[in-house]
Amino acid sequence: MTSLRTPRTPSITRDPRARIRRLGVASAAVGLLATLLTAGPAVAIPDPGDALVEGKVSSQQRAEARAAIQSGEIPGVDEIVHSSNIEHLANVPKDALQSLNTDLAFQGKYAFAGNYDGFRIFDISNPKAPKTVAQVLCPGSQNDISVSGNLLFLSTDSSRSDNSCSSTSQPASVKESWEGMKIFDISDVRNPKYVSAVETACGSHTHTLVPKKKDVYVYVSSYSPNAAFPDCQPPHDGISVIKVPRKAPQKAAVVSFPVLFPGTGPDGGGNPGGPTNPGVSKTTGCHDITVLPEEDLAAGACMGDGILFDIKDPERPKVIDQVQDNVNFAFWHSATFNLKANKVVFTDELGGGGAATCNAQVGPNRGANGIYDIVGKGKKSKLVFRSYFKIPRHQADTENCVAHNGSLIPVKGKDLMVQSWYQGGVSVWDFTDSSRPKEIGYFERGPVSATTMATGGSWSAYYYNGYIYSNDIAKGFDVLKLSDRRTDPAKRIRMDELNVQTQPDYFDYDD
């Protein structure tokens, strides 16, 4: 193992400025020491395109961004602002892993943070001063991450030369290229050990755990097949199911590939996309799945479709209902059940997370959340649309902003959620009334740049044991404290483990 210790300089924030819609509050990051663990014999080269993406904006857009900053309509570059019920407790900047920060998982006093270069483990026993306990170099987008017991799971959705953590980028058209799931042993969190890998068709963009006593099932979501890719052939209208024996993770293997969108012909089933449905993604798999193991229920966000399905037999899930929104949804990205499992929030990732969609031009219904009630029981359940929710704070045209990953805030009798919006920041909102959702708190930074489109902002924002944790693509790991009479009861709920896409039954609701 290679050890690298690097001192950190505290970040600088600007003084607060009063606004009509927001107040800025200064904070400083804590200096940290980090340890880099190389999980392979050599340092790997990150994939092309793993660096922050810069795009062109027009001179008019640059002028508008500057004017909005000067007027106080949006924060200044990197300036931190938030509602009065949110406090910014800490920020841990990037260290050895310099690529894009991604998803989060939690276990006990630890937070596990994905990064395109690998993953980082934080000790969050003191939320005001998180400490890095390990950084593992293992490049391969997007390194979606989950934990269960002594096992850590990592998604690889970029074509690699092999399945090791020292692999390099290699075209998907080469049969020997590899994409899929990696499995680590984290019984010693300071020294994670890479124990197994499973190749899956079209790689693993995201994954979802269905934990059992002896085994962990992994639902692997991937998409965009191509006839030129030997291991990613169309129509690819399903998910890969991996079975992982807890006591022998090296025996992990794909046990089924359930087709969720059956259809005839080379394009299979699901939403055909354009030109039939202009501006809508063609369904060629799923982007993300959330499961409710206690209810044997799952919700899938699958490009052009939203689905509800039964997972009583985890190897053979069955679709119960399927919905489309060919007016306002471009790409069904993720799903969240409410506490009573009678609603699903689907997100639309308009622009793929790289576009400015939180502005007046795009409007309130696109790049937003869609709230659906679940009407009926069992096999007769139906998803019924009720409303959209989008953050009410317009962002600059140099800021990538759209609905992204979030989690419930567990308050009995309420439907409350915290959610990331890339450079739109972190939003806390209430959808107890499905038809009238409203924001009740927020945290955000000003644009990464006022002159170019530079990818940044919160990738994931999750509530865990009394605090909000956010993994900012560019700025690092943030800890927020939410103090509000509407959400304070959630502080009494304590979890031993949380993978947001494996949604717990916080209050053991009866059917």
Side-chain angles (χ1 to χ4, degrees):
M1 295 295 173
T2 300
S3 178
L4 174 66
R5 294 184 177 272
T6 307
R8 275 286 173 190
T9 303
S11 63
I12 299 173
T13 56
R14 299 171 61 180
D15 292 333
R17 294 189 297 172
R19 290 183 177 78
I20 295 174
R21 293 187 292 175
R22 61 193 80 184
L23 292 174
V25 178
S27 74
V30 180
L32 294 174
L33 295 178
T35 300
L36 173 66
L37 298 172
T38 56
V43 175
I45 301 172
D47 286 335
D50 278 355
L52 294 183
V53 177
E54 292 191 358
K56 294 181 179 179
V57 296
S58 68
S59 57
Q60 179 180 348
Q61 288 172 322
R62 288 196 296 270
E64 288 173 350
R66 292 193 200 98
I69 291 171
Q70 291 171 358
S71 69
E73 178 65 16
I74 65 170
V77 172
D78 289 343
E79 181 181 0
I80 293 175
V81 296
H82 53 77
S83 56
S84 60
N85 57 356
I86 289 181
E87 180 184 358
H88 188 207
L89 296 184
N91 170 264
V92 185
K94 291 182 184 180
D95 191 84
L97 308 177
Q98 285 294 304
S99 195
L100 282 68
N101 285 330
T102 60
D103 208 11
L104 294 168
F106 304 89
Q107 188 179 84
K109 66 177 184 178
Y110 299 106
F112 301 81
N115 179 286
Y116 272 48
D117 282 344
F119 63 93
R120 188 173 184 178
I121 304 175
F122 295 98
D123 181 336
I124 54 173
S125 52
N126 180 4
K128 293 183 179 180
K131 297 178 180 178
T132 300
V133 298
Q135 299 189 70
V136 175
L137 181 66
C138 196
S141 67
Q142 53 187 8
N143 279 340
D144 194 45
I145 192 166
S146 295
V147 292
S148 184
N150 289 331
L151 300 178
L152 180 147
F153 301 85
L154 206 63
S155 285
T156 300
D157 192 34
S158 58
S159 186
R160 312 295 298 181
S161 56
D162 56 53
N163 63 11
S164 75
C165 284
S166 57
S167 67
T168 56
S169 202
Q170 184 167 288
S173 56
V174 177
K175 173 62 180 173
E176 290 72 24
S177 293
W178 184 91
E179 300 179 63
M181 291 296 308
K182 298 186 178 84
I183 304 170
F184 291 78
D185 183 329
I186 53 169
S187 51
D188 178 1
V189 295
R190 296 182 181 275
N191 186 28
K193 295 180 179 178
Y194 180 20
V195 296
S196 182
V198 180
E199 186 171 15
T200 55
C202 300
S204 174
H205 192 72
T206 65
H207 68 268
T208 303
L209 305 186
V210 184
K212 301 293 182 181
K213 284 186 178 181
K214 295 182 178 180
D215 306 297
V216 180
Y217 288 94
V218 186
Y219 287 174
V220 176
S221 296
S222 56
Y223 53 92
S224 295
N226 189 310
F229 300 163
D231 298 320
C232 184
Q233 292 287 297
H236 189 74
D237 276 339
I239 59 174
S240 297
V241 179
I242 298 172
K243 184 177 180 179
V244 185
R246 290 188 183 275
K247 293 184 177 180
Q250 69 276 10
K251 295 182 179 179
V254 174
V255 292
S256 67
F257 186 86
V259 175
L260 302 177
F261 304 97
T264 58
D267 294 330
N271 199 318
T276 303
N277 297 315
V280 177
S281 293
K282 175 183 175 181
T283 298
T284 58
C286 290
H287 177 276
D288 211 346
I289 291 169
T290 292
V291 298
L292 268 175
E294 296 296 325
E295 302 289 337
D296 291 327
L297 198 62
C302 303
M303 305 182 71
D305 295 85
I307 59 173
L308 188 68
F309 54 107
D310 183 327
I311 60 168
K312 188 173 183 178
D313 180 347
E315 295 185 21
R316 298 169 181 82
K318 297 179 180 179
V319 174
I320 298 170
D321 195 28
Q322 176 181 351
V323 291
Q324 297 178 355
D325 179 348
N326 295 318
V327 176
N328 288 313
F329 262 46
F331 186 92
W332 295 67
H333 176 276
S334 54
T336 303
F337 290 98
N338 70 331
L339 291 172
K340 289 188 176 181
N342 59 11
K343 300 176 187 177
V344 182
V345 175
F346 289 103
T347 67
D348 171 32
E349 195 181 32
L350 174 68
T357 74
C358 298
N359 50 35
Q361 181 180 0
V362 173
N365 296 337
R366 300 175 64 226
N369 296 314
I371 303 166
Y372 286 75
D373 284 351
I374 301 175
V375 178
K377 296 291 184 180
K379 295 179 180 179
K380 296 183 178 180
S381 297
K382 296 292 181 184
L383 292 164
V384 179
F385 174 78
R386 295 303 186 202
S387 67
Y388 298 106
F389 170 77
K390 191 172 183 178
I391 56 172
R393 294 162 285 107
H394 287 167
Q395 307 296 308
D397 286 338
T398 60
E399 294 182 276
N400 61 306
C401 176
V402 74
H404 212 236
N405 295 342
S407 77
L408 294 182
I409 300 174
V411 175
K412 202 163 190 177
K414 298 289 185 180
D415 293 326
L416 305 171
M417 189 170 172
V418 59
Q419 187 177 9
S420 62
W421 289 77
Y422 290 115
Q423 287 191 68
V426 175
S427 175
V428 178
W429 61 290
D430 185 333
F431 63 104
T432 306
D433 183 340
S434 301
S435 299
R436 293 177 177 82
K438 59 183 179 181
E439 184 174 75
I440 61 174
Y442 66 87
F443 167 90
E444 68 170 281
R445 289 180 170 87
V448 173
S449 171
T451 58
T452 61
M453 172 64 77
T455 301
S458 178
W459 180 290
S460 296
Y462 298 146
Y463 188 92
Y464 177 70
N465 290 351
Y467 296 90
I468 294 170
Y469 298 91
S470 169
N471 212 16
D472 188 291
I473 293 170
K475 300 302 178 182
F477 182 71
D478 288 307
V479 185
L480 310 176
K481 183 179 180 180
L482 175 63
S483 300
D484 191 295
R485 60 179 177 78
R486 294 164 290 191
T487 61
D488 285 347
K491 295 176 182 179
R492 297 192 292 266
I493 306 299
R494 312 300 291 183
M495 307 294 296
D496 295 325
E497 188 172 276
L498 179 65
N499 301 294
V500 169
Q501 288 73 33
T502 306
Q503 198 169 304
D505 188 351
Y506 291 98
F507 299 106
D508 193 23
Y509 278 111
D510 295 327
D511 291 332

